[in-house]
Amino acid sequence: MSKPRTLDREKPSLPALAIIVAMTILSAIAVAALSADSGARVFALLDWLQRQAAEAPVQTLALYALVCFLSQLVIVPSGSLIALGGGYLFGILAGGGVLATSALAANVIVFAIANSAFSALVARYADAAPQRRRALDILQAEGAAGVVALRLSPIVPSALTATLSAAAGI
């Protein structure tokens, strides 16, 4: 008779717990702020952003490009909201173009850093957990198809895809 399988779960690291707690607190603050005025603040913010985009379109577009770049660079989980905001303010073509260009630039930088200066650190990070090691093994075996599949996954941020691709040697 075989032994029942148990899940081997490692304890979350302190930085991971800090990120989870911070995201929970920020989410609670956002929900409280939105529910307090039943969305009036959101519409006021959207109106203000539209006025800024109309009065100073180049500066607002440059600021949007910086927000897109930084959100991709540091793996901010609100990428969909940023993309929607760009489409709302600048239209699908301009907003989408700036988002795609900024994301590409950020991912090239993340890939270069993960592939060169921090390659040993990324490899140690991947080896620390079996799930990460399996993801790297799959990427190494599948190559470009694995990268495309990982990038199309809605739960994997694009900067993480670049980091794992660099660690896998793709």
Side-chain angles (χ1 to χ4, degrees):
M1 182 179 268
S2 67
K3 236 173 144 178
R5 272 183 77 182
T6 60
L7 293 175
D8 292 334
R9 293 190 180 209
E10 61 184 54
K11 291 183 179 178
S13 65
L14 187 59
L17 287 174
I19 290 170
I20 291 169
V21 169
M23 288 176 62
T24 304
I25 291 170
L26 289 174
S27 297
I29 291 170
V31 167
L34 289 175
S35 62
D37 291 337
S38 66
R41 289 182 185 178
V42 173
F43 290 115
L45 176 63
L46 289 174
D47 289 340
W48 179 80
L49 285 171
Q50 275 188 321
R51 282 194 308 276
Q52 294 303 315
E55 293 171 7
V58 174
Q59 293 88 344
T60 309
L61 199 57
L63 180 61
Y64 176 67
L66 180 65
V67 168
C68 292
F69 178 80
L70 292 175
S71 71
Q72 291 293 316
L73 194 63
V74 296
I75 311 177
V76 173
S78 61
S80 298
L81 291 176
I82 293 171
L84 289 171
Y88 177 77
L89 290 174
F90 306 109
I92 293 172
L93 293 179
V98 168
L99 176 65
T101 305
S102 300
L104 178 64
N107 285 320
V108 166
I109 290 171
V110 168
F111 183 86
I113 290 171
N115 201 23
S116 59
F118 295 101
S119 60
L121 179 68
V122 170
R124 277 197 313 255
Y125 174 76
D127 289 335
Q131 300 89 351
R132 290 182 226 139
R133 182 74 254 164
R134 282 194 299 269
L136 282 180
D137 291 342
I138 290 170
L139 278 176
Q140 287 170 338
E142 297 296 326
V147 174
V148 170
L150 191 61
R151 184 61 199 106
L152 292 176
S153 172
I155 61 170
V156 179
S158 60
L160 187 57
T161 302
T163 304
L164 290 173
S165 299
I170 297 173

